[in-house]
Amino acid sequence: MVGKVVFVGAGSGDPELITVKGMKYLQQADVVIYAGSLVNPDVLRWARPGAEIHNSASMTLEEIVDIMVTRAREGKLVVRLKSGDASIYGALLEEIIALREAGIPYEVVPGVTAALAAAAVLGIELTLPKVAQTLIITRASARVTMQGSIKDFAKAMLIGATMAIYTGVHLIDKVVKELREAGVPDDTPVAVVYKATWPDQVIIRGTLSDIAEKVKRARITKDSVIIVGKAADPSILDTPVRSSVYDPRHTHSFRPKPKINSVDTE
Protein backbone atom coordinates (compact mmCIF):
# COMPACT_ATOMS: atom_id res chain seq x y z
CA MET A 1 0.00 0.00 0.00
CA VAL A 2 1.36 3.43 -0.97
CA GLY A 3 1.53 5.98 1.79
CA LYS A 4 1.09 9.71 1.51
CA VAL A 5 3.02 12.98 1.70
CA VAL A 6 1.44 15.94 3.50
CA PHE A 7 2.92 19.41 3.09
CA VAL A 8 2.26 21.33 6.31
CA GLY A 9 2.73 25.06 6.78
CA ALA A 10 4.53 25.24 10.13
CA GLY A 11 3.65 28.90 10.66
CA SER A 12 5.93 31.85 11.22
CA GLY A 13 7.80 30.72 14.33
CA ASP A 14 5.58 30.29 17.36
CA PRO A 15 4.97 26.51 17.46
CA GLU A 16 1.40 27.11 18.61
CA LEU A 17 0.60 28.90 15.35
CA ILE A 18 0.55 25.63 13.44
CA THR A 19 -2.99 24.68 12.48
CA VAL A 20 -4.84 21.97 14.38
CA LYS A 21 -4.90 19.90 11.19
CA GLY A 22 -1.16 20.32 10.71
CA MET A 23 -0.51 19.34 14.32
CA LYS A 24 -2.63 16.20 13.98
CA TYR A 25 -0.70 15.13 10.90
CA LEU A 26 2.58 15.65 12.77
CA GLN A 27 1.30 13.50 15.61
CA GLN A 28 0.57 10.69 13.14
CA ALA A 29 3.60 11.04 10.86
CA ASP A 30 6.09 8.21 10.45
CA VAL A 31 8.56 10.56 8.77
CA VAL A 32 9.05 14.32 9.16
CA ILE A 33 11.18 16.45 6.86
CA TYR A 34 11.47 20.02 8.08
CA ALA A 35 13.17 23.12 6.68
CA GLY A 36 15.59 23.59 9.56
CA SER A 37 16.95 26.89 8.28
CA LEU A 38 13.54 28.53 8.69
CA VAL A 39 11.19 26.33 10.73
CA ASN A 40 11.36 26.67 14.50
CA PRO A 41 12.49 23.22 15.72
CA ASP A 42 10.11 23.61 18.67
CA VAL A 43 7.33 22.73 16.22
CA LEU A 44 8.68 19.19 16.35
CA ARG A 45 7.19 18.93 19.83
CA TRP A 46 4.02 17.83 18.03
CA ALA A 47 5.79 14.94 16.25
CA ARG A 48 5.14 11.51 17.69
CA PRO A 49 7.94 9.81 19.65
CA GLY A 50 10.05 7.62 17.39
CA ALA A 51 9.24 9.44 14.19
CA GLU A 52 12.03 9.53 11.61
CA ILE A 53 13.10 13.18 11.37
CA HIS A 54 15.20 14.88 8.68
CA ASN A 55 16.48 18.46 8.56
CA SER A 56 16.38 19.56 4.91
CA ALA A 57 18.52 22.68 5.43
CA SER A 58 21.58 21.16 3.73
CA MET A 59 19.71 18.82 1.37
CA THR A 60 19.04 19.14 -2.35
CA LEU A 61 15.64 18.76 -3.99
CA GLU A 62 16.62 15.31 -5.22
CA GLU A 63 17.58 14.15 -1.72
CA ILE A 64 14.33 15.44 -0.23
CA VAL A 65 12.21 13.83 -2.93
CA ASP A 66 14.07 10.53 -2.58
CA ILE A 67 13.14 10.31 1.10
CA MET A 68 9.52 11.28 0.46
CA VAL A 69 9.03 8.84 -2.40
CA THR A 70 10.91 5.95 -0.77
CA ARG A 71 9.09 6.20 2.54
CA ALA A 72 5.68 6.75 0.94
CA ARG A 73 6.20 3.63 -1.18
CA GLU A 74 6.82 1.77 2.08
CA GLY A 75 3.31 2.79 3.09
CA LYS A 76 4.39 5.51 5.50
CA LEU A 77 2.90 8.91 6.21
CA VAL A 78 5.44 11.63 5.44
CA VAL A 79 5.01 15.20 6.67
CA ARG A 80 7.01 17.85 4.83
CA LEU A 81 7.16 20.87 7.15
CA LYS A 82 7.46 24.19 5.33
CA SER A 83 8.02 27.56 7.00
CA GLY A 84 5.04 29.90 7.13
CA ASP A 85 2.67 28.82 4.39
CA ALA A 86 3.93 26.45 1.70
CA SER A 87 2.31 28.46 -1.09
CA ILE A 88 4.30 31.63 -0.32
CA TYR A 89 7.95 31.24 -1.36
CA GLY A 90 7.82 27.66 -0.14
CA ALA A 91 9.46 25.84 -3.09
CA LEU A 92 6.31 23.73 -3.10
CA LEU A 93 5.57 23.13 -6.76
CA GLU A 94 8.85 21.42 -7.60
CA GLU A 95 8.23 18.83 -4.90
CA ILE A 96 4.61 18.30 -5.94
CA ILE A 97 5.68 17.74 -9.54
CA ALA A 98 8.18 15.10 -8.42
CA LEU A 99 5.52 13.34 -6.32
CA ARG A 100 3.04 13.37 -9.20
CA GLU A 101 5.63 11.84 -11.51
CA ALA A 102 6.27 9.13 -8.92
CA GLY A 103 2.57 8.47 -8.40
CA ILE A 104 2.63 9.45 -4.72
CA PRO A 105 -0.54 10.93 -3.18
CA TYR A 106 -0.10 14.29 -1.46
CA GLU A 107 -2.03 16.94 0.44
CA VAL A 108 -1.29 20.56 1.35
CA VAL A 109 -2.22 22.03 4.73
CA PRO A 110 -1.93 25.86 4.86
CA GLY A 111 -0.05 27.81 7.51
CA VAL A 112 0.46 31.36 8.81
CA THR A 113 2.81 33.20 6.46
CA ALA A 114 5.35 35.73 7.78
CA ALA A 115 3.51 38.80 6.44
CA LEU A 116 0.41 37.94 8.47
CA ALA A 117 2.47 37.16 11.54
CA ALA A 118 4.26 40.51 11.16
CA ALA A 119 0.94 42.34 10.92
CA ALA A 120 -0.26 40.57 14.05
CA VAL A 121 2.74 41.52 16.17
CA LEU A 122 2.62 45.08 14.83
CA GLY A 123 -1.06 45.27 15.72
CA ILE A 124 -2.01 46.57 12.29
CA GLU A 125 -4.45 45.73 9.51
CA LEU A 126 -2.78 45.27 6.14
CA THR A 127 -5.94 46.29 4.30
CA LEU A 128 -7.64 49.42 5.59
CA PRO A 129 -11.02 50.78 4.46
CA LYS A 130 -10.56 53.70 2.07
CA VAL A 131 -6.78 53.66 2.73
CA ALA A 132 -5.28 50.42 1.43
CA GLN A 133 -7.56 47.90 -0.24
CA THR A 134 -4.81 45.84 -1.85
CA LEU A 135 -1.95 43.77 -0.44
CA ILE A 136 1.12 43.04 -2.56
CA ILE A 137 3.40 40.23 -1.41
CA THR A 138 6.72 40.28 -3.20
CA ARG A 139 10.41 39.66 -2.58
CA ALA A 140 13.82 41.12 -3.26
CA SER A 141 16.78 39.22 -4.65
CA ALA A 142 20.39 39.84 -5.55
CA ARG A 143 20.99 36.65 -7.54
CA VAL A 144 17.69 34.91 -8.32
CA THR A 145 15.96 35.99 -11.54
CA MET A 146 12.48 37.37 -10.91
CA GLN A 147 9.51 38.28 -13.06
CA GLY A 148 8.93 41.96 -12.34
CA SER A 149 10.59 44.01 -9.63
CA ILE A 150 9.73 45.90 -6.45
CA LYS A 151 9.85 49.06 -8.54
CA ASP A 152 7.23 47.66 -10.94
CA PHE A 153 4.79 46.59 -8.25
CA ALA A 154 5.37 49.54 -5.91
CA LYS A 155 3.49 51.83 -8.29
CA ALA A 156 0.27 50.30 -6.97
CA MET A 157 1.08 51.81 -3.58
CA LEU A 158 0.39 55.22 -5.04
CA ILE A 159 -3.26 54.27 -5.51
CA GLY A 160 -3.83 52.48 -2.23
CA ALA A 161 -1.83 49.31 -1.59
CA THR A 162 0.28 47.84 1.18
CA MET A 163 3.46 46.00 0.26
CA ALA A 164 4.98 43.08 2.18
CA ILE A 165 8.53 42.36 1.04
CA TYR A 166 10.22 39.05 1.82
CA THR A 167 13.98 38.29 1.62
CA GLY A 168 14.81 41.98 1.29
CA VAL A 169 16.27 43.13 4.58
CA HIS A 170 19.85 42.25 3.54
CA LEU A 171 19.22 44.38 0.43
CA ILE A 172 17.53 47.23 2.26
CA ASP A 173 19.34 49.93 0.26
CA LYS A 174 18.21 48.34 -3.00
CA VAL A 175 14.65 47.99 -1.70
CA VAL A 176 14.51 51.66 -0.68
CA LYS A 177 16.01 52.74 -4.00
CA GLU A 178 13.42 50.82 -6.03
CA LEU A 179 10.54 52.13 -3.93
CA ARG A 180 11.75 55.69 -4.44
CA GLU A 181 12.17 55.13 -8.18
CA ALA A 182 8.53 54.04 -8.27
CA GLY A 183 7.52 57.37 -6.76
CA VAL A 184 6.83 56.21 -3.21
CA PRO A 185 7.29 59.28 -0.94
CA ASP A 186 10.07 59.39 1.64
CA ASP A 187 7.58 59.85 4.49
CA THR A 188 5.85 56.55 3.73
CA PRO A 189 5.68 54.41 6.90
CA VAL A 190 7.82 51.26 6.95
CA ALA A 191 8.02 48.48 9.54
CA VAL A 192 10.60 45.71 9.57
CA VAL A 193 9.81 42.64 11.66
CA TYR A 194 12.65 40.23 12.35
CA LYS A 195 11.58 36.66 13.21
CA ALA A 196 7.92 37.50 13.81
CA THR A 197 6.45 35.49 16.72
CA TRP A 198 9.84 33.97 17.68
CA PRO A 199 11.18 34.63 21.22
CA ASP A 200 13.92 36.91 19.80
CA GLN A 201 11.55 38.91 17.59
CA VAL A 202 12.59 42.50 16.81
CA ILE A 203 10.42 45.33 15.43
CA ILE A 204 11.88 48.37 13.71
CA ARG A 205 9.61 51.23 12.68
CA GLY A 206 10.48 54.17 10.49
CA THR A 207 9.85 55.75 7.13
CA LEU A 208 11.31 55.21 3.70
CA SER A 209 13.82 57.98 4.46
CA ASP A 210 15.36 56.39 7.55
CA ILE A 211 14.49 52.68 7.62
CA ALA A 212 17.72 51.56 5.92
CA GLU A 213 19.88 53.25 8.54
CA LYS A 214 17.76 51.86 11.38
CA VAL A 215 18.00 48.32 10.00
CA LYS A 216 21.78 48.56 9.62
CA ARG A 217 22.13 49.96 13.13
CA ALA A 218 20.19 46.95 14.45
CA ARG A 219 22.43 44.61 12.40
CA ILE A 220 19.48 42.71 10.96
CA THR A 221 20.31 40.90 7.74
CA LYS A 222 17.85 38.01 7.44
CA ASP A 223 14.57 36.39 8.52
CA SER A 224 12.55 39.59 8.22
CA VAL A 225 9.46 40.98 6.51
CA ILE A 226 9.32 44.60 5.38
CA ILE A 227 5.85 46.16 5.52
CA VAL A 228 5.52 49.38 3.52
CA GLY A 229 2.50 51.68 3.30
CA LYS A 230 0.05 53.78 5.26
CA ALA A 231 -1.21 50.66 7.02
CA ALA A 232 2.19 50.39 8.74
CA ASP A 233 1.84 53.82 10.36
CA PRO A 234 1.33 53.39 14.14
CA SER A 235 -0.51 56.71 14.25
CA ILE A 236 -3.30 55.11 12.20
CA LEU A 237 -4.67 53.99 15.57
CA ASP A 238 -5.39 57.63 16.35
CA THR A 239 -7.33 58.09 13.10
CA PRO A 240 -11.04 57.22 12.85
CA VAL A 241 -11.31 54.25 10.48
CA ARG A 242 -14.57 52.46 9.88
CA SER A 243 -15.50 49.65 7.54
CA SER A 244 -18.73 49.71 5.57
CA VAL A 245 -19.78 46.21 6.61
CA TYR A 246 -20.45 47.28 10.23
CA ASP A 247 -21.66 50.79 9.46
CA PRO A 248 -25.39 51.13 10.31
CA ARG A 249 -25.84 53.25 7.18
CA HIS A 250 -24.60 50.39 4.99
CA THR A 251 -27.08 47.62 4.26
CA HIS A 252 -26.39 44.11 3.00
CA SER A 253 -27.97 40.64 2.91
CA PHE A 254 -27.45 40.02 6.63
CA ARG A 255 -28.56 43.51 7.64
CA PRO A 256 -31.11 44.63 5.05
CA LYS A 257 -32.65 48.06 4.92
CA PRO A 258 -35.54 48.27 7.43
CA LYS A 259 -38.96 48.15 5.91
CA ILE A 260 -41.09 51.23 6.50
CA ASN A 261 -44.70 50.39 7.20
CA SER A 262 -47.15 52.77 5.64
CA VAL A 263 -50.13 53.82 7.72
CA ASP A 264 -53.34 54.84 6.06
CA THR A 265 -54.92 57.96 7.51
CA GLU A 266 -58.38 59.34 6.95
Side-chain angles (χ1 to χ4, degrees), residues 149-155 158 173-186 208:
S149 67
I150 289 175
K151 178 180 177 180
D152 295 326
F153 301 120
K155 294 172 184 176
L158 305 177
D173 286 327
K174 178 183 178 182
V175 168
V176 169
K177 180 176 180 288
E178 291 197 28
L179 289 169
R180 282 174 167 160
E181 288 176 348
V184 178
D186 268 359
L208 196 60

Side-chain angles (χ1 to χ4, degrees), residues 95-205:
E95 294 179 16
I96 284 179
I97 290 172
L99 293 178
R100 283 169 57 90
E101 290 176 348
I104 303 298
Y106 65 89
E107 180 182 346
V108 180
V109 178
V112 178
T113 189
L116 303 185
V121 301
L122 288 168
I124 63 172
E125 185 176 353
L126 295 173
T127 56
L128 283 170
K130 306 173 185 67
V131 176
Q133 298 293 278
T134 301
L135 172 63
I136 300 169
I137 296 180
T138 187
R139 66 186 292 258
S141 176
R143 296 187 299 165
V144 179
T145 302
M146 300 194 306
Q147 180 67 36
S149 67
I150 289 175
K151 178 180 177 180
D152 295 326
F153 301 120
K155 294 172 184 176
M157 296 180 62
L158 305 177
I159 53 174
T162 304
M163 179 173 280
I165 304 170
Y166 287 55
T167 65
V169 72
H170 66 298
L171 302 169
I172 191 67
D173 286 327
K174 178 183 178 182
V175 168
V176 169
K177 180 176 180 288
E178 291 197 28
L179 289 169
R180 282 174 167 160
E181 288 176 348
V184 178
D186 268 359
D187 62 353
T188 301
V190 182
V192 173
V193 183
Y194 167 74
K195 298 186 77 170
T197 76
W198 289 65
D200 53 345
Q201 161 190 298
V202 176
I203 296 173
I204 300 174
R205 295 180 185 268

Side-chain angles (χ1 to χ4, degrees), residues 76-88:
K76 295 180 178 179
L77 172 62
V78 180
V79 165
R80 173 67 167 125
L81 270 180
K82 299 278 192 176
S83 64
D85 180 87
S87 69
I88 304 292

